[in-house]
Amino acid sequence: MSMQHTASSGVALWRLVADGIERGIADGRFAAGEKLPGEVEIAETYRVNRHTVRRALAALAERGLVRAERGSGTYVEAQRLAYPLRSRTRFSEIVGAGGREPRGQLIEASEDVATREVARELRLKVGAPLVRIEAIRLADRTPICVSTTWLSAELFPGAGAVFAATRSMTKLLAHYGVRDYRRGATRITAGIVDATDATRLDLPLGRPILVVDATDLDLDGKPLVTKHSRFAAERVEFLVDS
Amino acid sequence: MSMQHTASSGVALWRLVADGIERGIADGRFAAGEKLPGEVEIAETYRVNRHTVRRALAALAERGLVRAERGSGTYVEAQRLAYPLRSRTRFSEIVGAGGREPRGQLIEASEDVATREVARELRLKVGAPLVRIEAIRLADRTPICVSTTWLSAELFPGAGAVFAATRSMTKLLAHYGVRDYRRGATRITAGIVDATDATRLDLPLGRPILVVDATDLDLDGKPLVTKHSRFAAERVEFLVDS
DNA sequence: TGAAGTTGTCTATTATCATAGACAACTTCA
DNA sequence: TGAAGTTGTCTATGATAATAGACAACTTCA
């Protein structure tokens, strides 16, 4: 008795089960920290063998969405980092508010010159000298996003070294006398992670990312830094007040 | 030497190839009637065995999207029915313009009472008597859509029998003295075909459908009939003038 | 303590997926 | 007519996918 599955649709059964469970997590039917139904019960609801369910759960576990505890059950790990998009969002505060430990890490700091896009954002001339900082931000050792940040090399000389020491953009700006700043226009798109970012974010290839382009302004509205950030979509959710 | 494919994503390789080709047909890279690249060439572009390509093409052929001719090549069958959404669209004219033979077929006509939604559309009271007509429309024996149509039983007594005889909504209305009518507001959404519609549309389960809710008005703007239609998404494309 | 329920692991079987090579049958075109 | 290019069919092999059953290891709770 067998038959792989009814439709032979070219999509593996375990994938359908995994997608179904993930949808359940995403839409809140299974809350974070909560116990999933037992493997046998899931198998019954999907009318599928228990081993098929295990395959699905293994895929979800590998992505960090669930965690199995022998003898007890399988629990929703989810806990997407809620990331409010307001004018004064600070990464460290967001992560800290979730009871997790924020960390920044410098990948590379280098000299660069302004492209047309960056020049427009920072109100500089094309070709103006810049400091480019490639950094990664983590919550509890889980990479959340990688960012490319540009600052004017004239306004912030040696910014790369300062960031390497402070590991914080807020502290970097404070070092140059910027007391406070706010978020300017923010553009959000989505894409697929490239090989470089995949390694940095510890993501398998082909995963979706959220791409955020934003410029921070001082209180007079003068542009300070502009950023191009790539978030692991499965680890964050952006909250926009309406 | 093997390895099924790199990612083991739970999606069969032939499915990816089939989807790729279908996208090519949908976006016009492969025009209707045109010859596809040879199986060997497709296999090379997707870096896949020729047999895998054949599996993909077989799936597309079964859905009527392509047709293989031995010794010659594989040709795009596609020919989605172009369905302009204007205020005076008549199904028969649309199908006829494509050189195909329009046909309507009554599935069931019954008495019904107005739900809140239908009552609002037809400007009747909730619970008002209706005639409900379940019908299917075909082009050259290919089912295009199934529609549920509601008419006021007071304005159109015995409408079910008239539709069964004429198989045309336009002729039905003419029978009651309606010379001309036009399309009112039209709402379009998409969904997945249910079991009943799948049988009627000769579609495999899980296929996408276009769901159209529309109300036809007479020339004074008085509502005549309201329809809930489900189109086989792969067989039509709606054209909206801008 | 013990029973019930849970996840983890093992063996086994069948069907599907993907690859590989070879050749037949057919069409096109010089 | 013949060569080149195309789809169709056959055999073969190994990796996955899905099912089935059994039992171990562990947790929870009465």
Side-chain angles (χ1 to χ4, degrees):
Chain A
M1 211 100 336
S2 267
M3 209 160 29
Q4 182 124 298
H5 55 279
T6 44
S8 186
S9 58
V11 180
L13 243 191
W14 65 263
R15 186 72 141 78
L16 299 181
V17 175
D19 288 348
I21 296 173
E22 186 177 359
R23 215 174 312 124
I25 294 173
D27 67 20
R29 281 206 313 283
F30 305 126
E34 202 177 272
K35 189 160 88 168
L36 288 180
E39 293 172 352
V40 175
E41 187 177 340
I42 296 177
E44 279 166 359
T45 61
Y46 283 95
R47 287 148 189 258
V48 128
N49 192 279
R50 178 176 157 234
H51 294 288
T52 307
V53 173
R54 286 183 60 74
R55 179 79 177 80
L57 290 174
L60 294 176
E62 197 187 5
R63 290 176 45 199
L65 262 74
V66 301
R67 163 184 41 86
E69 288 189 6
R70 183 174 188 161
S72 172
T74 304
Y75 298 83
V76 177
E77 195 75 284
Q79 269 192 332
R80 287 195 167 172
L81 183 64
Y83 205 107
L85 292 177
R86 296 202 207 87
S87 74
R88 291 170 183 267
T89 47
R90 300 287 183 269
F91 182 77
S92 53
E93 293 172 9
I94 291 169
V95 174
R100 302 170 78 180
E101 182 68 21
R103 230 180 89 212
Q105 190 177 308
L106 177 67
I107 297 173
E108 183 197 357
S110 59
E111 316 247 305
D112 201 354
V113 293
T115 62
R116 215 178 65 232
E117 287 77 15
V118 173
R120 190 184 56 227
E121 288 298 323
L122 293 180
R123 291 194 214 143
L124 300 172
K125 291 185 176 155
V126 173
L130 298 174
V131 176
R132 195 182 102 245
I133 296 174
E134 206 78 29
I136 186 169
R137 295 196 281 196
L138 309 93
D140 280 348
R141 278 184 296 284
T142 302
I144 300 298
C145 79
V146 288
S147 307
T148 309
T149 308
W150 286 278
L151 308 85
S152 162
E154 293 183 357
L155 294 175
F156 305 98
V162 177
F163 184 85
T166 62
R167 292 178 169 181
S168 156
M169 195 52 63
T170 304
K171 288 177 186 163
L172 181 152
L173 291 173
H175 180 268
Y176 290 95
V178 177
R179 290 272 181 79
D180 199 2
Y181 61 94
R182 61 189 172 81
R183 177 64 63 94
T186 301
R187 285 179 306 149
I188 305 175
T189 60
I192 298 297
V193 70
D194 68 22
T196 311
D197 286 347
T199 307
R200 291 171 176 171
L201 290 172
D202 191 21
L203 272 182
L205 283 174
R207 281 295 146 66
I209 53 173
L210 286 158
V211 181
V212 178
D213 289 288
T215 301
D216 286 336
L217 315 170
D218 72 7
L219 300 188
D220 300 329
K222 197 166 59 122
L224 298 168
V225 305
T226 187
K227 292 181 254 184
H228 177 73
S229 308
R230 289 85 73 199
F231 288 75
E234 63 201 46
R235 294 176 198 151
V236 295
E237 56 185 8
F238 292 150
L239 305 180
V240 182
D241 291 346
S242 60
Chain B
M1 224 111 326
S2 267
M3 214 166 17
Q4 180 125 299
H5 56 278
T6 44
S8 185
S9 57
V11 181
L13 202 40
W14 66 262
R15 184 72 140 80
L16 299 181
V17 175
D19 288 348
I21 296 172
E22 185 177 359
R23 216 174 311 123
I25 293 173
D27 66 20
R29 283 207 313 283
F30 305 126
E34 202 177 272
K35 188 160 90 168
L36 287 180
E39 292 172 351
V40 174
E41 187 178 340
I42 296 176
E44 279 165 359
T45 61
Y46 283 95
R47 287 148 190 258
V48 128
N49 192 278
R50 179 177 156 234
H51 293 289
T52 307
V53 173
R54 287 183 59 73
R55 179 77 178 81
L57 289 175
L60 295 176
E62 197 188 4
R63 289 175 46 199
L65 262 73
V66 301
R67 163 184 40 87
E69 288 189 6
R70 184 174 188 160
S72 172
T74 303
Y75 298 84
V76 176
E77 197 73 286
Q79 269 191 330
R80 284 195 170 176
L81 182 64
Y83 205 107
L85 293 176
R86 295 201 207 88
S87 74
R88 290 167 185 267
T89 46
R90 302 285 183 268
F91 183 76
S92 53
E93 293 172 9
I94 290 169
V95 175
R100 302 169 79 180
E101 182 68 23
R103 230 181 89 212
Q105 190 178 307
L106 176 68
I107 298 173
E108 183 197 357
S110 59
E111 317 248 304
D112 202 353
V113 292
T115 62
R116 215 178 65 231
E117 288 77 14
V118 173
R120 190 183 56 228
E121 288 299 322
L122 293 180
R123 291 195 213 143
L124 299 172
K125 290 185 177 156
V126 173
L130 297 174
V131 176
R132 196 183 101 244
I133 296 174
E134 207 77 29
I136 185 168
R137 295 196 282 196
L138 308 93
D140 280 349
R141 276 183 297 285
T142 304
I144 299 299
C145 79
V146 288
S147 307
T148 308
T149 308
W150 286 277
L151 308 86
S152 162
E154 292 182 358
L155 293 176
F156 305 97
V162 177
F163 185 84
T166 62
R167 291 177 169 184
S168 157
M169 195 53 64
T170 304
K171 287 177 186 164
L172 182 152
L173 292 174
H175 180 269
Y176 291 95
V178 177
R179 291 271 182 79
D180 199 1
Y181 62 93
R182 61 190 174 79
R183 177 64 63 95
T186 301
R187 284 179 307 150
I188 305 175
T189 61
I192 299 296
V193 70
D194 67 22
T196 311
D197 286 347
T199 307
R200 291 171 177 170
L201 290 172
D202 192 21
L203 273 182
L205 282 173
R207 283 293 146 66
I209 53 173
L210 287 158
V211 181
V212 178
D213 289 288
T215 301
D216 286 335
L217 316 170
D218 71 8
L219 300 188
D220 300 329
K222 199 166 58 126
L224 299 169
V225 304
T226 187
K227 292 181 254 185
H228 177 72
S229 308
R230 290 84 73 198
F231 288 76
E234 64 200 46
R235 294 177 197 151
V236 294
E237 55 186 6
F238 292 150
L239 305 179
V240 182
D241 291 346
S242 60

